[in-house]
Amino acid sequence: MAPTRLHDQGFVGKGGSNATTGEGCFLLRAEESRLLRAWTSPQETGASVLLRGTGGMGKSTMLRTYVADARREGEPVFLVCADPPDATREYGVVEQLLARLEQPTCERPPVTAWGTALGEVRAAFTRLGREGVDDPTATTDAYRALCGLLTRLARARGRRLVIAVDDLHWADVSSLCFLRYLLRRLDRIPAAVVASLGDAEPSVDESRAGFLFPLFLRQLTLRPVSEQEVAQLAELVVGAPVGRVFVRACHSVTGGNPYLLHAVLRSLAGVALTPDAWTAAEITRHLPDEVSRAVRARIRHAGPEALALAQGLAVLSGSPAFAVLAETSGLTEAAAEDASHLLEGLGLTRRLKGARVAFSCPAFEAAVHDGMLPSARNDLHARAAEVLRGRGAGWEVVVPHLLRTPGGTPWLVDALRRAALEAASRGDAEQASRCLRRALVEDLPEEVRVAVLVELGTAELDRSVPEASHTLRRAFDLARTEEQRAAAARVLSVALCALDRHDEAAELLTGVLDSRALGARRDPELELRLCYARWCAEGLSPRVLRGLAQVERAARRDATSPRPLAVLRAMLSPAPPEAAAGPAPRRSEAADGSWARVLCRAAALLTAPATARLPEDDARPADAPVSLRAALGGRSLDAALLAARAVAHLGRGRLADAEADADAALAEFTALEVGVQHGWPAVAVSVKVELGRARGRLEEAERLLVEHRLAGGLGVSALTDRLLLARGRLNLAAGRAREALADFLAVGERECAGSNGPTTRRHAGGPSSWRADAALAHLACDDARAAAALVTVEVEQASRASEAVRHGVALRARGLVFGGACGLASLRQACELLATTPARLEEARAWADLGSAERLLGDHEAAGAALRRATTLAESCGATPLADRCLAELRAAGHRPRARTFAGVAALTPAERRVAELAARGLTNRQLAEYLHVGRRTVELHLSAVYDKLGIPGRSGLPTALVEPSLGAFSAVVTGHSGGQADPAA
């Protein structure tokens, strides 16, 4: 088979539409062209330049551009082009040169013997080539005669000749010998020689022709073009500005190869694609067919081993280890070494450190990969998967090949399930889902299909909860055994609860539990999931508590079973669990992530957000092993606990922490495709609404409700009741009292509905303070009687329930409703009660209302103490509008607040701050007085004020308090005088 030239297949531009010609050539090779002209200028004697570069670097284009420029300047130029057939024909290049001298366009010298001399030279070379005469004398005479003709022609023209040889690597050895003769005598012959040469072409015999290359005075190697040059050419070809991402993609895919670059750009311009990031991501799809065919033809010419190695490299992709590549390609390492050497010589591949191989640019890889038959390509992927796993490669490397392995391969399903399990353990739910979906394409036994569907649904819980619910429903419907139904129901119930389909989840779990055979072992995990589903729908109803009690009783017979009531009591206690519930119950090592802890943690946070133990006191959900988290429900339950913790932070007045958790929860639910109209996302939105109210951003909170279509009717769920309460409080703050009252009464109707039945619907965390809120709404509607009736009932119920925060909120509402001396007493009780809880924001509101009431009654001193404390608390929480209101009330009461807080470092005056810093360095009172030029009594007064504002007992706490400010004690704020004693002077 005759050698295949790359430019014949459109690989290297030779002019016409496929060439990087004209303006594009000068644009890409401006510096190289300048050097070539300088090195071959007429002033240079004996000039000779060799252009070198791999295929597509623009050698031929640059040479032809140079020839055209030289002809325009009037220089006699003779361009010859070596072709593959010339590699085996003696003096093929020389015959082309003689033919150029015979052309009518050649300006011959005015001598009558020219034709005769030319004919004699041609006859001499013809005889040498035909007879294969190995006569040095005859050969030298022929060479001398041809050089003489060239010299006569140059002298006749009065200018030097330019001899250009394109693709010198295809020239026959005899012609190369003549060129050697010519190059050695250029100092006596008025001629310049310029040639182009491809690196290590297969036809080049370095042992015979390598002697020629050092004779060139200059060699110019063409390198890949830079990103800046790519941008310039892209704008020229596409005809529009191009972005940086697009330029980088073009440079990376083509490796800076000018021909490949120009071909890709022309292809993109032909289909009118915009040169943006989207096009950049798909750029390998726009490689022209002629380029792909040329690459494959060149590889086929290198031999079957080179083709097998290139196909193996295209399937493995990237830069695989050489041993892996050889085994995947079905070659011995020796044969693979030879094939790799050939491909590297063609400029298609390159060796990397660590015995690795890669294509020179992604365009070559795409050309080889796309040129394979699909069946052959898939067989290679199967072989690659086996080789990689056999050599211990990670599943993340093997998965791309498993997904393309032909169907019916015996080991495929098992490998896909193992890969999915490993991907899930890394938290890569997308890859796990792809593996399991591919496994479902196979012809599986029914029990295996159910197991794979359950595994797929579990993985999809971390991607898309709606998809997971559909997949798991299929698994549940296909299940035939009790174990299969239970396995599917465990995960399906989580997806249904995340979508606010709690009743459906409860019905599903009840059916599975009721279908158990008599005497079967209890399944406490399923029972706890049933309790969770009912709790989301009903709150801590009697039925939920009975279910928890059943699990608790079972724990007495089985030490490994969870004890949910004990856990719930521990979490509702602000003390550590051991102090609240006695010795920790015996349980499995996974207890911290058990369903008992998940359920009780969420219930505790919503039942007593201000006092329950926060999840940060235990291991965070995300810290648990991924496999355990997947069994519990994965990201959906993590997001639910984030929303519950946001409620707890809000209850404690930690607005910044509440916002961070609420935003994180909403982001997770959005990623899982769970709409905010559902239960737990609605809880997170309720926190955002409450934050907007506390910070005075009412319009922002209203836009949030409108954006998520939560301004109208909401679903009936214990979790969405919290959003109704938040929306009602927002409406009340915005002056829409009747709309607020409607929301509060809706919550009340839900909590009171069916109060005599076993499924009493309550607030998700237990009874809410809807009556207190509704009373304030009635008061705003000038219905004092209805307000008094509601708030009286709320105070009684909260008092009986021994819920300090709820009781304090109810007392504050009663103080506002009743007013006067009775109301003032209720407000004082509310402040005293809330001061014993972590609910700082509610305490701030109570103190603010108390201060306002006392100011209106004329007790300005007591009002100042209450308002100072309210200001400090509100400022520490970030409730700026409440702090502004308190400051305004203080000024109305005749006080002159100099700061926005009255406790902590920010509350210190400049003089107090200076005294505190000097005292923290160890100065005594006497030294302080001398240093500051004040009396000792003044120092003592300053220190007493500092101790009260920082909440520390004395001088020893100053270094820490000044670095880590806290609210501390409020004796100075409340009483208005120093409650501490200054340290005695040393």
Side-chain angles (χ1 to χ4, degrees):
M1 182 179 65
T4 303
R5 292 188 53 171
L6 287 178
H7 57 75
D8 290 338
Q9 302 296 329
F11 187 76
V12 178
K14 292 291 173 184
S17 61
N18 285 340
T20 310
T21 57
E23 188 176 353
C25 175
F26 290 113
L27 190 64
L28 294 181
R29 299 298 186 191
E31 180 61 21
E32 290 87 342
S33 299
R34 185 190 66 78
L35 285 175
L36 180 59
R37 293 191 187 97
W39 291 346
T40 58
S41 64
Q43 291 74 27
E44 292 285 335
T45 303
S48 59
V49 179
L50 180 64
L51 300 177
R52 305 193 69 160
T54 57
M57 285 297 164
K59 306 178 299 295
S60 298
T61 300
M62 187 173 177
L63 179 64
R64 291 170 182 270
T65 302
Y66 167 78
V67 167
D69 292 342
R71 284 173 176 168
R72 280 195 296 269
E73 294 173 1
E75 290 188 275
V77 181
F78 298 95
L79 173 63
V80 296
C81 182
D83 289 317
D86 296 332
T88 56
R89 190 174 71 244
E90 294 292 325
Y91 294 108
V93 173
V94 173
E95 289 181 3
Q96 287 191 52
L97 178 60
L98 294 173
R100 301 290 187 274
L101 294 174
E102 290 179 342
Q103 289 178 354
T105 56
C106 175
E107 298 184 13
R108 301 172 183 176
V111 292
T112 56
W114 172 259
T116 303
L118 184 60
E120 292 176 353
V121 170
R122 172 177 285 279
F125 277 101
T126 302
R127 184 171 59 258
L128 290 175
R130 183 179 61 251
E131 299 176 0
V133 178
D134 189 15
D135 184 354
T137 302
T139 303
T140 302
D141 291 343
Y143 291 173
R144 185 184 299 112
L146 180 53
C147 290
L149 283 178
L150 297 174
T151 302
R152 292 169 60 185
L153 179 60
R155 290 173 179 172
R157 293 288 308 276
R159 305 195 65 170
R160 67 162 187 185
L161 304 180
V162 176
I163 300 174
V165 183
D166 193 11
D167 289 341
L168 191 62
H169 44 273
W170 292 114
D172 60 281
V173 177
S174 301
S175 296
L176 293 176
C177 292
F178 167 73
L179 286 176
R180 178 184 62 177
Y181 183 91
L182 176 64
L183 288 171
R184 286 178 171 175
R185 291 160 178 76
L186 281 181
D187 56 338
R188 300 189 296 272
I189 300 175
V193 177
V194 182
S196 68
L197 174 71
D199 283 343
E201 295 289 343
S203 67
V204 172
D205 187 344
E206 293 272 355
S207 62
R208 292 185 295 169
F211 59 82
L212 177 67
F213 307 146
L215 297 179
F216 285 90
L217 294 181
R218 299 257 173 58
Q219 295 192 20
L220 182 59
T221 301
L222 302 185
R223 305 295 181 187
V225 297
S226 64
E227 286 189 12
Q228 181 179 1
E229 293 171 314
V230 171
Q232 295 172 355
L233 182 62
E235 291 185 0
L236 175 68
V237 176
V238 177
V242 294
R244 197 169 188 177
V245 175
F246 178 80
V247 170
R248 287 180 176 175
C250 289
H251 187 270
S252 173
V253 167
T254 62
N257 186 297
Y259 172 69
L260 293 178
L261 174 64
H262 198 272
V264 169
L265 291 174
R266 284 188 292 105
S267 177
L268 294 175
V271 293
L273 286 176
T274 305
D276 53 17
W278 293 101
T279 303
E282 304 288 333
I283 199 167
T284 54
R285 296 186 177 183
H286 301 285
L287 194 66
D289 291 338
E290 66 270 16
V291 175
S292 300
R293 288 194 298 269
V295 173
R296 295 193 293 270
R298 195 174 196 193
I299 293 174
R300 283 194 296 270
H301 171 66
E305 290 83 5
L307 178 61
L309 192 75
Q311 290 177 342
L313 183 57
V315 165
L316 287 170
S317 188
S319 54
F322 189 80
V324 173
L325 174 60
E327 189 173 354
T328 302
S329 304
L331 302 174
T332 64
E333 290 205 18
E337 284 283 359
D338 294 342
S340 176
H341 179 74
L342 287 174
L343 293 175
E344 190 174 355
L346 293 173
L348 298 175
T349 63
R350 54 195 173 95
R351 283 295 187 102
L352 304 177
K353 293 181 179 179
R356 294 183 175 275
V357 185
F359 279 104
S360 300
C361 64
F364 294 153
E365 179 179 331
V368 176
H369 188 274
D370 296 343
M372 299 173 63
L373 291 174
S375 58
R377 186 166 57 233
N378 292 340
D379 289 339
L380 267 181
H381 278 296
R383 188 188 303 166
E386 287 187 286
V387 170
L388 289 170
R389 280 307 295 165
R391 292 179 174 269
W395 283 111
E396 67 277 6
V397 179
V398 181
V399 164
H401 305 291
L402 288 178
L403 297 176
R404 295 173 175 84
T405 297
T409 305
W411 47 265
L412 177 60
V413 174
D414 181 64
L416 286 169
R417 294 179 69 182
R418 290 174 179 269
L421 181 62
E422 193 273 339
S425 68
R426 290 186 285 107
D428 192 348
E430 182 65 37
Q431 187 174 96
S433 300
R434 285 199 300 269
C435 291
L436 294 169
R437 282 196 292 267
R438 173 64 183 85
L440 289 172
V441 175
E442 299 295 301
D443 186 14
L444 305 175
E446 191 172 88
E447 63 275 8
V448 176
R449 183 169 296 276
V450 171
V452 173
L453 283 170
V454 172
E455 293 168 3
L456 176 59
T458 304
E460 287 177 339
L461 275 178
D462 280 355
R463 288 183 54 257
S464 172
V465 176
E467 287 186 21
S469 67
H470 291 306
T471 301
L472 293 165
R473 175 59 72 177
R474 285 177 55 200
F476 185 80
D477 293 341
L478 287 174
R480 294 294 177 265
T481 66
E482 180 180 331
E483 291 77 9
Q484 290 177 341
R485 286 168 56 83
R490 284 188 183 94
V491 192
L492 178 56
S493 63
V494 176
L496 295 176
C497 287
L499 297 172
D500 217 15
R501 293 155 61 181
H502 312 297
D503 293 335
E504 184 179 346
E507 181 181 356
L508 174 80
L509 293 167
T510 301
V512 173
L513 289 171
D514 291 345
S515 64
R516 292 179 302 182
L518 292 176
R521 181 183 176 88
R522 296 180 61 88
D523 193 336
E525 183 185 350
L526 275 183
E527 294 175 2
L528 282 170
R529 291 178 189 245
L530 175 59
C531 292
Y532 175 78
R534 287 175 174 167
W535 171 76
C536 290
E538 306 167 9
L540 286 176
S541 65
R543 184 162 62 173
V544 173
L545 293 173
R546 284 198 300 272
L548 294 175
Q550 289 177 1
V551 178
E552 186 89 9
R553 285 194 295 271
R556 299 172 185 172
R557 298 185 297 272
D558 186 357
T560 61
S561 297
R563 296 178 60 184
L565 291 181
V567 175
L568 183 58
R569 284 194 299 270
M571 290 184 173
L572 285 173
S573 172
E578 292 76 11
R586 290 181 295 171
R587 53 185 183 267
S588 65
E589 295 180 357
D592 283 340
S594 68
W595 261 94
R597 186 161 294 271
V598 170
L599 168 59
C600 296
R601 177 178 292 169
L605 291 177
L606 295 192
T607 299
T611 57
R613 300 184 69 244
L614 284 174
E616 63 194 11
D617 299 330
D618 303 316
R620 290 189 57 188
D623 296 334
V626 177
S627 57
L628 175 60
R629 289 176 57 237
L632 294 174
R635 290 172 64 184
S636 62
L637 282 185
D638 284 357
L641 291 177
L642 279 173
R645 193 171 70 176
V647 173
H649 282 312
L650 181 65
R652 288 161 166 79
R654 304 176 184 175
L655 303 190
D657 293 337
E659 182 176 32
D661 277 348
D663 287 340
L666 287 174
E668 283 289 276
F669 283 122
T670 301
L672 295 174
E673 300 179 8
V674 179
V676 295
Q677 297 84 4
H678 300 118
W680 280 113
V683 172
V685 172
S686 73
V687 174
K688 297 282 290 182
V689 172
E690 292 279 16
L691 289 170
R693 181 173 70 97
R695 292 170 171 171
R697 303 172 186 171
L698 304 185
E699 294 182 358
E700 181 179 325
E702 290 173 356
R703 283 198 301 271
L704 180 66
L705 292 174
V706 173
E707 177 185 348
H708 294 298
R709 301 178 182 177
L710 298 173
L714 297 176
V716 179
S717 165
L719 293 174
T720 53
D721 287 352
R722 187 169 294 276
L723 180 57
L724 269 178
L725 288 173
R727 191 176 72 181
R729 291 164 184 160
L730 177 64
N731 286 330
L732 187 59
R736 298 186 292 271
R738 297 201 176 278
E739 295 180 20
L741 182 59
D743 286 337
F744 297 142
L745 294 179
V747 176
E749 290 175 2
R750 296 181 186 186
E751 285 194 15
C752 298
S755 58
N756 296 323
T759 60
T760 303
R761 183 176 297 279
R762 299 190 179 191
H763 193 268
S768 66
S769 59
W770 69 270
R771 291 183 182 86
D773 292 313
L776 296 178
H778 275 300
L779 185 63
C781 295
D782 297 326
D783 191 352
R785 178 173 296 183
L790 279 174
V791 79
T792 300
V793 175
E794 177 66 14
V795 170
E796 292 176 355
Q797 290 195 358
S799 176
R800 287 197 301 269
S802 299
E803 298 177 14
V805 177
R806 181 186 171 196
H807 192 192
V809 171
L811 287 171
R812 169 177 167 260
R814 186 172 70 175
L816 295 175
V817 169
F818 284 91
C822 179
L824 195 63
S826 294
L827 288 172
R828 288 196 180 107
Q829 292 178 21
C831 292
E832 293 171 0
L833 188 58
L834 290 170
T836 64
T837 72
R840 291 187 297 168
L841 186 56
E842 291 298 337
E843 183 186 355
R845 288 168 177 157
W847 283 110
D849 292 334
L850 176 60
S852 299
E854 288 177 330
R855 183 187 68 82
L856 292 175
L857 293 175
D859 191 351
H860 290 180
E861 183 177 355
L867 291 169
R868 281 194 295 272
R869 182 156 187 168
T871 303
T872 300
L873 284 167
E875 191 67 23
S876 70
C877 293
T880 304
L882 181 58
D884 291 341
R885 173 195 158 195
C886 294
L887 291 172
E889 289 281 353
L890 276 171
R891 296 186 185 97
H895 298 274
R896 296 181 180 179
R898 289 177 292 180
R900 292 186 61 86
T901 183
F902 299 92
V905 176
L908 300 178
T909 66
E912 292 168 350
R913 179 66 180 264
R914 190 177 187 189
V915 170
E917 290 176 346
L918 292 173
R921 296 178 188 176
L923 273 68
T924 65
N925 290 2
R926 180 181 300 155
Q927 291 171 333
L928 285 170
E930 294 175 356
Y931 183 81
L932 297 174
H933 303 288
V934 297
R936 290 181 60 184
R937 180 57 182 168
T938 302
V939 171
E940 292 172 358
L941 291 175
H942 281 323
L943 286 176
S944 295
V946 167
Y947 299 154
D948 284 337
K949 290 181 180 180
L950 297 182
I952 57 178
R955 187 185 301 260
S956 61
L958 282 174
T960 302
L962 291 175
V963 175
E964 301 176 1
S966 63
L967 291 179
F970 290 93
S971 58
V973 179
V974 176
T975 64
H977 60 82
S978 176
Q981 296 294 328
D983 291 345

